[in-house]
Structures are given as structure tokens and as C-alpha cells.
Amino acid sequence: MAKQLTSVVAVVLVTLCKSRADLVFEPARLPLAVLVAGQSETLRHELVLRNSGITPEDVHVAAQCDDNLSPHQAPWLETSVRNFTLAPSAVKGFNITFTAGALTQGVHSSRICAFKQTDSDTKSGLNPTPLAQIPIQAKVLCSQRGNSSSNQSSCGISIRQLALLKPLLRSEPGAPVLPSQTAELFFEAAVTFNHYPWPEWSSAADASKDVMVSNGTGNVYNVTAWPVGNSCGTYLIRGSTAVTTSSAGAVPTLTLQISISKHAFNSSNMTGDLVVASLRPPANALPCHLQQQIDADSLQVMGALPFLPSPKGPWSPIVTPFSLPPAYLVQGSANNTAQNVLILENAGGIDHSVQVVTNCYNESSAGARVPWLSLSAKDVEVPFKSSKSINLTYHAEGLAAGTYRAQLCLFADYSYGAVSSVVQVQLQVLCSRYQGYESSPPGCTIRFSEVHPLYFVRPINGSVSIPPIPTVFTADLAFNRPVLGPQSRNSLYGMLSGQGVPDGRIDAFEEDTSQGATCGMYHFQGWKSNDDNANRNVTVQVAGLYDITHMLNACSAQAD
């Protein structure tokens, strides 16, 4: 009796379970749709909804059925049908249309849902629980990739920068023949893939599998998406290949070859994607290859700052002084050179080398010669537990008065691309008025050009007392020796107004630039209150201001 009852209950439960529709989307997951931002091109894919239940169902299909979608988000999914009745064991096929529209570059996710037409949630305003749903994604590439299918080449390669690590020596006429030399040619190339899919390189190891340099004799050291973080299939590749001279020391014309293998276009994790026609490769797409003839004699040395990791590991020299003091020279002076010294210390246990490159953060002038600066060495071997020095010589010949700046970027063991230290170099060219200032005594001169009462009062009948009348004055200030920088001129203003005029102040102060920059000549004006109209003496004094040799400058003047 118990067994019969159990069987009856089981039959009833099965019947109840099958009394409702059982909806399933097929396939269970749609492939990734690849679109181009700003393009009206669409993709279509067929989707099937199956009723595995025993009862018919009135179905409502909704695209982008997420309740948390932003109200301003443009629709990028549409279904060819929305409402229909699905009989038991029946299927309904319909199309899904993808349109990038106003979508931004990136990956966008949503769902397609099937609801009962009679279901609603009037309390929360949210969608009811769906009977079936399927996740869906679209990858939107940047707008510059539109219509790339018209390009017959698989990708484009262009050289951005070329440089030699060290200069190649040349045999002078009549001199002994130089032996054969080998140097590294560094390159930076931009690779843009014209058709989808393209490889997703995240490291030099990834790119090395797909990039061949000079028939396999070259190397890839670094690869980055360009611009950083883009999804447009453009990469910057940095690498090198060897340059060898003949025994006569002649610098040859060399051939740089960069090829992208077919493997790069067969990434297994991208198969089955839905791709718009403008990104699909034509049937006769050509291989990706660059071959460029280069005259090595015309190449800069270390100018492009390529990336080369050091086999010795990270290391930085101890640089003394950490901050170089400015050098001061006078325009047109016979004594037009100055010196500084950089000391590089290696406190480690193995030998290292240091390479110096000028202005490494300025892409247009990296490695270029600084005309007013000479270095005793740009490539220094520093043995372990020892130090080496680099002498800096500043030249003012032909320079106008003003401030000149440059950078010295220090690289360890030829690890270009990873700066270990940056030394700021500054030259201050003083105007010609300061010629011979080294022999001049420190000090300054103040000359009043005008001193008078602020206003005049004429007494009436000789009986009216005259109130105190402020005295106003203008004056010029000139230093015998150059004072320290613009910040000192601000300090000078404070000294004049704070110490210079009892019961008064300096209310205007400016540098005289009529004779050139940094000439140490100033105009100022101020006023002095007078308790006694008979005593209009004005005294201005300067104290506590140091010149470029750290000697104290002081002066004072009195006007009646």
C-alpha cells in the first residue's frame, strides 16, 4: 500500500513539474561580437528559444534586460521578434542585431531575457524574474579601425627611431686599417594590425614568438600597446640587430628586416567571434613584412633611448653631488668657461658601467649635443668598491644673457629605457655689465632720483598749523656682484620695506631689464611719514643679501 501511494505521489509531482513551460536558449552562450566605435555597421546572429515543457507559453523577449543599465546608455542590441506563443516541444528562431552606435571603446556586457507576457512587477518597476536568459558581450574597438578590410596587407610596420649603442670607428686616410667592429642597431617600430583578430602581446616573450628581426639574428626587448591600454591592435616594438663593419673600418649600408609570422593571426582564443565586415581580412591578404635600407653612418648614437635590460640586474651608481650647483659665466667675457665634477661610486661587488645621455625626457632632442656643455666621458666603467668622475665644462661663448638648463640621464650597464639617475645642469649667463665682478668688492649702490612731499599745504594768515606730510621718493639700486637668483629679488623687496625706511614702506619694486637679463639693477619707490615737517630725511639700506660667491652685499643711502 505504501509503495502504491509513493508511485501516485511521484506521478503527480512529475505532472505538476511538466505543467509549466520550460524555456531554454540555444546555444547556451553567444560568441563575442566585435564592432567599431562610431560605425553604423551591424552584426546579426541567430538565436533559438526552445520550450521543453508540456504547456504552451506566451513569451516576451527583451534585449538589454538588466535592471542596472544606465538610462542614458544607447541600445546596442535588438531582437527580430518580441512577443510570440511557443507550443510544447517547439522552437522559435530569431535574429539578434548588434550595433556599436554611441558605445565607447571597450567590452560591453548585457543579457537577453524571455519573460511570461503576463508577468509584471508594478511595485518595484523592475523586470520580473525571466523564464530564460543568456549573457551576451560586445567588444568595441576604437573608431580609427573602420574600413580596415580595404587594406590588402595583414599589418603595417613603420620605423619610428633608430640609433647605435656606440659609434663605429672609421679608418682615417694613411692610418692603420681598423679591425672589424660590431655594434648594436636599436630600433623602435610601430606595428598596426589591419584585420581582426590580432595577437594580444603583453610582453616581449609574447611578441618574440611572432616577430622575426633580420632573419632571426635580431632580438625583441620590449613591446607595449600604443597608445597605452588601447585595443586597436597597434604596438610599439623595441629591439636590436647587429651591425658589422668590414676589416677596412668602413661603415656599411645595412638592411633591417621585421616580419610578422602567420601564427600571430591564428590566436586560438579568438576563434568563433562575430566580426564586422570592415575588420575581416580579404581572401588574398598579404604577409606582414618590412625591409629597409639604412646608412649606419647617418645614425645618431644613443639618441633614441631604446630599451635593453641589463644581464647584470638592476643597479644604480651613487652620484655625488646629488644636485649640481649652477655655473655662472659673463656674456662676452674672456673667462667664459666653468667646471663641475660628478663622482660615480660603485659600492657593489661586481663591475658596472654608466652611460650618460642628455635630455632623455625630451623626445625631440634626446641624445642631442648640448652646445654649452662638454663632458669628459659619456661611457664610464666603474669597478666594484671604487668610483670614477666625469668632468663638466660650461661654455658661454656666443650665448645671450639668461638661464640655460639640460638633463644628464645616467643609465646602468646599457639598460636604456630604465633611467637610474637624472642630474639637472644649469648655466646662468650674466650680462656684460658684470665683467670682472670677481675682483669687485661686494656691495651695492643706492641713488635717489626724486624726493618730495606727497602734497603741499599753504598756511592762511600764518595761523594755521600744518599737519605732518608724507615724503615720497624714487630710487635706483645696483649690485656690484651678481645676487642669487629671482628668489633673492623677492627677499630684497622685503629687506627694503622691512629695514630700509622707518615709519614708511617700499610700495613698488621692479628689475631694470634695459641692459639685459640678470643684471642686478632695480627701480623702487616708497614713502615716509613725517612727524616733523622740517625733517624729511629718507634713509634706505640693504643688508643680508648674498651674491653668487656667498659674500654679503650691503649698502645704504640717505636723501634730504
Side-chain angles (χ1 to χ4, degrees):
M1 182 67 179
K3 282 186 176 182
Q4 291 178 352
L5 182 59
T6 301
S7 299
V8 172
V9 172
V11 171
V12 172
L13 287 176
V14 170
T15 303
L16 288 175
C17 289
K18 289 193 174 182
S19 64
R20 58 183 299 276
D22 187 3
L23 304 185
V24 178
F25 280 114
E26 298 176 353
R29 190 173 187 87
L30 288 175
L32 178 70
V34 182
L35 304 152
V36 178
Q39 302 290 319
S40 58
E41 192 175 8
T42 60
L43 284 173
R44 287 182 176 84
H45 189 70
E46 185 174 339
L47 188 61
V48 170
L49 184 63
R50 179 182 300 275
N51 184 359
S52 300
I54 59 174
T55 61
E57 186 63 74
D58 294 329
V59 179
H60 170 69
V61 175
Q64 292 184 244
C65 54
D66 299 82
D67 292 317
N68 60 348
L69 285 177
S70 301
H72 62 272
Q73 183 171 348
W76 51 276
L77 284 175
E78 289 186 5
T79 59
S80 58
V81 295
R82 294 187 179 181
N83 298 303
F84 53 88
T85 299
L86 195 59
S89 302
V91 297
K92 176 68 174 179
F94 53 93
N95 290 326
I96 306 297
T97 302
F98 305 81
T99 307
L103 289 183
T104 57
Q105 178 182 327
V107 177
H108 299 263
S109 301
S110 188
R111 296 180 300 156
I112 295 177
C113 301
F115 303 102
K116 290 188 71 168
Q117 292 183 18
T118 56
D119 282 350
S120 64
D121 188 343
T122 56
K123 293 182 179 179
S124 66
L126 302 177
N127 288 324
T129 302
L131 300 176
Q133 58 182 315
I134 183 172
I136 196 163
Q137 281 191 325
K139 184 175 184 178
V140 179
L141 306 178
C142 64
S143 57
Q144 70 188 56
R145 299 319 305 261
N147 300 320
S148 64
S149 64
S150 60
N151 198 318
Q152 294 298 312
S153 178
S154 302
C155 67
I157 307 175
S158 61
I159 300 297
R160 287 171 46 85
Q161 296 188 58
L162 292 170
L164 290 173
L165 178 60
K166 292 183 178 180
L168 292 171
L169 302 179
R170 303 295 299 271
S171 294
E172 298 295 335
V177 175
L178 293 172
S180 177
Q181 306 169 72
T182 300
E184 289 290 309
L185 168 68
F186 290 89
F187 66 86
E188 181 181 78
V191 179
T192 299
F193 290 93
N194 297 322
H195 312 121
Y196 190 88
W198 43 72
E200 293 186 351
W201 293 331
S202 59
S203 66
D206 291 341
S208 296
K209 300 173 184 177
D210 302 321
V211 181
M212 178 177 291
V213 180
S214 295
N215 297 322
T217 62
N219 299 287
V220 173
Y221 295 116
N222 174 255
V223 61
T224 55
W226 185 59
V228 176
N230 79 4
S231 61
C232 278
T234 300
Y235 297 91
L236 282 186
I237 298 177
R238 297 178 179 92
S240 73
T241 187
V243 179
T244 303
T245 67
S246 65
S247 60
V251 179
T253 297
L254 60 133
T255 301
L256 175 64
Q257 299 180 23
I258 302 177
S259 302
I260 310 298
S261 70
K262 292 182 179 180
H263 175 267
F265 304 93
N266 296 318
S267 184
S268 59
N269 62 337
M270 294 183 182
T271 57
D273 294 344
L274 295 172
V275 183
V276 290
S278 62
L279 291 172
R280 295 172 188 156
N284 57 345
L286 302 174
C288 190
H289 177 77
L290 175 137
Q291 179 171 310
Q292 183 169 327
Q293 299 292 321
I294 301 168
D295 180 6
D297 201 21
S298 65
L299 295 177
Q300 288 188 344
V301 177
M302 299 189 300
L305 301 183
F307 181 90
L308 173 60
S310 169
K312 296 183 179 181
W315 172 80
S316 294
I318 301 172
V319 182
T320 307
F322 182 75
S323 178
L324 282 174
Y328 296 92
L329 295 172
V330 178
Q331 180 187 17
S333 174
N335 178 23
N336 61 353
T337 61
Q339 284 74 38
N340 258 324
V341 178
L342 272 182
I343 298 176
L344 309 177
E345 181 182 351
N346 178 5
I350 60 174
D351 297 346
H352 288 281
S353 63
V354 175
Q355 292 73 46
V356 182
V357 177
T358 55
N359 299 331
C360 62
Y361 289 118
N362 188 332
E363 187 170 320
S364 62
S365 63
R369 175 177 171 268
V370 177
W372 48 268
L373 181 66
S374 299
L375 304 178
S376 62
K378 289 187 176 181
D379 193 343
V380 182
E381 296 291 334
V382 188
F384 68 94
K385 304 298 181 183
S386 65
S387 62
K388 287 293 183 70
S389 61
I390 298 177
N391 297 320
L392 285 69
T393 303
Y394 305 79
H395 310 269
E397 184 178 358
L399 295 181
T403 301
Y404 298 83
R405 296 181 176 86
Q407 299 168 335
L408 298 182
C409 301
L410 308 184
F411 297 86
D413 303 313
Y414 304 106
S415 57
Y416 298 108
V419 181
S420 62
S421 299
V422 177
V423 178
Q424 303 294 338
V425 183
Q426 179 176 317
L427 170 63
Q428 187 90 15
V429 179
L430 308 167
C431 67
S432 57
R433 188 178 77 84
Y434 278 127
Q435 288 193 22
Y437 74 88
E438 297 91 345
S439 60
S440 301
C444 50
T445 303
I446 299 173
R447 292 186 175 89
F448 289 92
S449 58
E450 188 176 3
V451 180
H452 60 78
L454 180 61
Y455 54 86
F456 295 92
V457 176
R458 177 176 296 179
I460 301 176
N461 298 326
S463 59
V464 177
S465 61
I466 300 176
I469 301 173
T471 298
V472 295
F473 58 86
T474 58
D476 296 319
L477 168 67
F479 285 95
N480 300 336
R481 301 168 66 92
V483 294
L484 284 171
Q487 71 280 2
S488 298
R489 292 197 287 274
N490 295 333
S491 302
L492 175 61
Y493 185 97
M495 292 174 188
L496 283 167
S497 61
Q499 300 179 19
V501 187
D503 302 321
R505 72 178 184 185
I506 306 295
D507 57 13
F509 179 78
E510 63 180 2
E511 183 179 7
D512 180 2
T513 59
S514 60
Q515 297 189 39
T518 63
C519 272
M521 300 183 67
Y522 307 91
H523 300 301
F524 64 91
Q525 65 184 37
W527 57 270
K528 173 183 178 295
S529 62
N530 296 307
D531 295 332
D532 181 0
N533 288 326
N535 180 13
R536 299 189 182 279
N537 291 341
V538 176
T539 301
V540 175
Q541 58 186 356
V542 175
L545 192 69
Y546 291 84
D547 64 20
I548 60 176
T549 58
H550 301 284
M551 298 184 70
L552 187 66
N553 285 262
C555 59
S556 64
Q558 179 175 310
D560 296 333

